Amino acid sequence: FPSHDTSLPNSNKDHPDALYELGMLYVLGGKIYRTDENGVGTTTVYWDKDIERGEYLLLEAASKNNVKALVYLGYEYILGYKLNQDIDLGISCLKKAAEFGDQAAQLYLGNAYRYGNKVPKDISKAIYYMEMAAKQGSDEAVLSLKNMK
């Protein structure tokens, strides 16, 4: 993952959650509602899309092991909706998220390897990822494992 200056204030460069949130704001654009100390809405700020900057910030968050960034980037790179498609990088992001315990990434990879979707079919890898998800209580993974064995 890249690691050059993002021109963020120094206080945010080492906070993966802040990098993720800011990256998503840039990728998606939209509204931010500000509230005062009592939780009362005071202003609405409109955030312009800047997908390139958002992608960079998400990659920074992912390089700091932010699982939400890894999962988002994984799906985006595989599907290519907002970011340029890069299936290998997408699979790599999801593998890392799966190792950090993200059940959705584990299920996606298990099914991908089971059916050969975006990756070569590999039942042993499918079982590996489905077992990870099953250990976290995924009924889908348990059923898939029964059907694969």
Side-chain angles (χ1 to χ4, degrees), residues 63-82:
S63 74
K64 296 176 185 334
N65 300 326
N66 180 282
V67 175
K68 291 185 287 187
L70 287 164
V71 171
Y72 179 81
L73 288 169
Y75 290 133
E76 271 300 323
Y77 285 132
I78 290 168
L79 299 172
Y81 290 140
K82 295 185 185 317

Side-chain angles (χ1 to χ4, degrees), residues 27 51 55 58 72-73 76-77 80-85:
V27 167
I51 290 175
E55 178 183 18
L58 289 167
Y72 179 81
L73 288 169
E76 271 300 323
Y77 285 132
Y81 290 140
K82 295 185 185 317
L83 307 178
N84 291 328
Q85 191 172 43

Side-chain angles (χ1 to χ4, degrees), residues 24-145:
M24 291 303 294
L25 286 172
Y26 275 113
V27 167
L28 300 174
K31 299 177 189 177
I32 301 173
Y33 300 99
R34 292 191 179 162
T35 59
D36 63 18
E37 64 275 359
N38 298 317
V40 177
T42 57
T43 58
T44 302
V45 177
Y46 293 91
W47 202 274
D48 291 331
K49 282 185 184 181
D50 184 340
I51 290 175
E52 184 176 307
R53 182 155 175 79
E55 178 183 18
Y56 176 78
L57 292 166
L58 289 167
L59 285 167
E60 281 290 310
S63 74
K64 296 176 185 334
N65 300 326
N66 180 282
V67 175
K68 291 185 287 187
L70 287 164
V71 171
Y72 179 81
L73 288 169
Y75 290 133
E76 271 300 323
Y77 285 132
I78 290 168
L79 299 172
Y81 290 140
K82 295 185 185 317
L83 307 178
N84 291 328
Q85 191 172 43
D86 184 335
I87 292 170
D88 291 338
L89 184 54
I91 295 295
S92 176
C93 287
L94 289 180
K95 283 181 177 179
K96 194 168 182 182
E99 295 300 326
F100 280 117
D102 186 84
Q103 191 179 89
Q106 294 162 351
L107 288 168
Y108 181 90
L109 290 167
N111 283 316
Y113 283 111
R114 180 179 181 188
Y115 297 109
N117 182 12
K118 309 290 186 192
V119 295
K121 187 174 182 175
D122 185 329
I123 296 300
S124 66
K125 286 183 181 179
I127 290 170
Y128 172 76
Y129 288 109
M130 286 298 180
E131 284 178 343
M132 290 174 81
K135 286 177 185 173
Q136 295 190 69
S138 168
D139 293 336
E140 179 184 342
V142 170
L143 181 60
S144 291
L145 285 166

